[in-house]
Amino acid sequence: VYPIREGGRILEFIYSSKRLKTKGGLTAGTATTHYYASEEFNIKQEKTKSFTCSPQEVIFGGDYKQSTYCHLLLGLLFWDEVELIASTFAYSIVQAFASFEEQWEEICSDIKDGTLSSRITLPRMRKAVLDIISPNPCLASQIEAICRDSKASNWYGIVPRLWPNAKYVYSIMTGSMQPYLKKLRHYAVSLPLVSADYGSTEGWIGVNLDPCLPPEDVTFAVIPTFSYFEFIPLYKKKQDLTSSTVGYIEGEPVPLSQVKLGQEYELVLTTFTGLYRYRLGDVVEVAGFHNGTPKLNFIFRRELILTVNIDKNTENDLQLAVERGSEVLSKYGGELVDFTSHAEVMHQPGHYMIYWEIKGEVEERVLGECCGVMDASFVDHGYVVSRRTNSIGPLELCIVETGTFNKVLDYFIGNGAALGQFKTPRCTNNHILLRILNLCTIKRFHSTAYN
Ligand code: AMP
């Protein structure tokens, strides 16, 4: 659909995390970590005649900040060869360009002089990158001119300007990645966003057969031989019929061949690597069929639920409410960088807390309005009734200082997560995370939507 030149390059924001040995001698790690270390990763590059810009030492560096800097530097050095921009999850691309906004001058200076910033301290990474680069003052001044100009328009369309031969951006953009689409579109503008396949470390699931579709409309055709798939039908409880909540009754699992159009299911995998009837925790809807295999719409992860008492709101419900609130924010020139939430039940009545990191100067009055709009956007019957009777208190919007979500990321990476597979938790009860968020809160607003 979007043909690329043979022998071109992929600017891939990919990162591997640590691998460890189990007592039984098996190597354990995330799916992508195994993949980048495997022979298949090289075979894929040879067969598709598309080569990643960064050497193994950058992908395996172990420090995502240093790796991101080198990915960007090398991507720019090979600017005319780059045919596509990719990552596993869309978050990594948005995160990389947020760093680029801060570091572009340093990167340009490295390109000009053929040097490497002192922020790269890992010896193997330094050597590998220095072996590739050489001074290129002409390229550096071209990039500098583009950046100066783009900075004035808040980096609108920076991707096609820096990589004019790139044909598309490829990454997982559905589910919990959907909130980053707006920023991705801002950076990529005219470049098609191709939503990547659906899978997990436990087992791969389905492929996107319609790469032209906007990510919001993408479905995934299950490849029946990836695992033995079963589907637990999920029926909404009667009182929840009017809402999009998760008050589900579970039916008996059915095999792939017996799923029904329009029905929601939880996925169950039995894999070749030994998982037996493993509940993945993802809720999907059958949106159609490709030949005999179902095309799935990813709905949300089941365990992510905001609840105080009889209310139940999923990641999807939260995402919708935040989307409504952030529409108000953008109307007044603000931008939502990232968000998470917490159901506060230590004090009576319990209430929802939504943490926002924002960019741009916005009046307090506007933030108060955003808070009210989000509160009114949760349509779950249990929530609405509880809010009306004040058995759930007003929704609290906490504005956190710039860089807070980077601290959240650092906390997870410090505990062994891989940037390439990182997903900001949309709802948390983690004490350390809540401590970071609360320490970084600079403004608080309470909804008056139900006053
Ligand atoms: P991981 O644990 O990093 O292997 O991530 C696997 C999980 O990421 C899945 O169970 C899904 O919840 C989510 N995921 C993977 N691919 C997609 C996709 N294409 N759309 C939405 N969510 C996805």
Side-chain angles (χ1 to χ4, degrees), residues 30-31 88-89 171-177 195-206 218 220 280-282 298-301 315 420-423:
T30 61
T88 310
F89 287 95
S171 190
I172 292 174
M173 299 169 189
T174 34
S176 63
M177 294 296 126
S195 198
D197 300 336
Y198 171 32
S200 65
T201 294
E202 295 90 337
W204 217 244
I205 299 158
V218 159
F220 305 98
L280 194 58
D282 288 350
F298 181 89
I299 312 278
F300 54 79
R301 276 191 80 84
E315 177 174 14
Q421 283 177 240
F422 179 71
K423 304 155 200 83

Side-chain angles (χ1 to χ4, degrees), residues 142-297:
Q142 277 173 21
I143 295 171
E144 232 170 67
I146 293 174
C147 289
R148 271 188 218 296
D149 191 48
S150 285
K151 194 178 170 194
S153 57
N154 194 21
W155 305 95
Y156 183 74
I158 186 68
V159 175
R161 289 195 72 183
L162 290 175
W163 292 281
N165 295 324
K167 309 298 186 296
Y168 60 97
V169 177
Y170 181 75
S171 190
I172 292 174
M173 299 169 189
T174 34
S176 63
M177 294 296 126
Q178 207 157 313
Y180 305 111
L181 267 182
K182 193 169 171 205
K183 192 70 188 179
L184 206 55
R185 285 203 169 102
H186 178 86
Y187 288 133
V189 190
S190 53
L191 273 186
L193 300 183
V194 180
S195 198
D197 300 336
Y198 171 32
S200 65
T201 294
E202 295 90 337
W204 217 244
I205 299 158
V207 294
N208 171 8
L209 294 174
D210 308 291
C212 293
L213 285 180
E216 289 87 346
D217 299 335
V218 159
T219 57
F220 305 98
V222 179
I223 305 290
T225 48
F226 278 171
S227 288
Y228 179 70
F229 293 98
E230 289 174 275
F231 295 79
I232 302 174
L234 301 172
Y235 305 102
K236 284 191 176 127
K237 283 184 187 156
K238 263 216 175 70
Q239 72 264 32
D240 290 328
L241 278 178
T242 51
S243 77
S244 59
T245 59
V246 276
Y248 282 127
I249 295 171
E250 295 178 2
E252 284 299 307
V254 295
L256 184 81
S257 56
Q258 285 172 26
V259 296
K260 297 213 163 56
L261 186 70
Q263 173 67 48
E264 288 185 11
Y265 297 95
E266 184 183 333
L267 261 177
V268 181
L269 312 179
T270 295
T271 68
F272 293 104
T273 46
L275 294 172
Y276 178 70
R277 302 193 103 182
Y278 175 89
R279 292 176 71 150
L280 194 58
D282 288 350
V283 178
V284 295
E285 180 196 14
V286 176
F289 290 89
H290 176 82
N291 298 328
T293 200
K295 286 180 24 172
L296 306 178
N297 192 358

Side-chain angles (χ1 to χ4, degrees), residues 301-319:
R301 276 191 80 84
R302 206 170 167 193
E303 80 260 31
L304 290 171
I305 298 170
L306 260 176
T307 176
V308 168
N309 46 46
I310 56 162
D311 54 307
K312 286 186 213 73
N313 279 297
T314 65
E315 177 174 14
N316 207 27
D317 299 319
L318 170 71
Q319 227 156 272

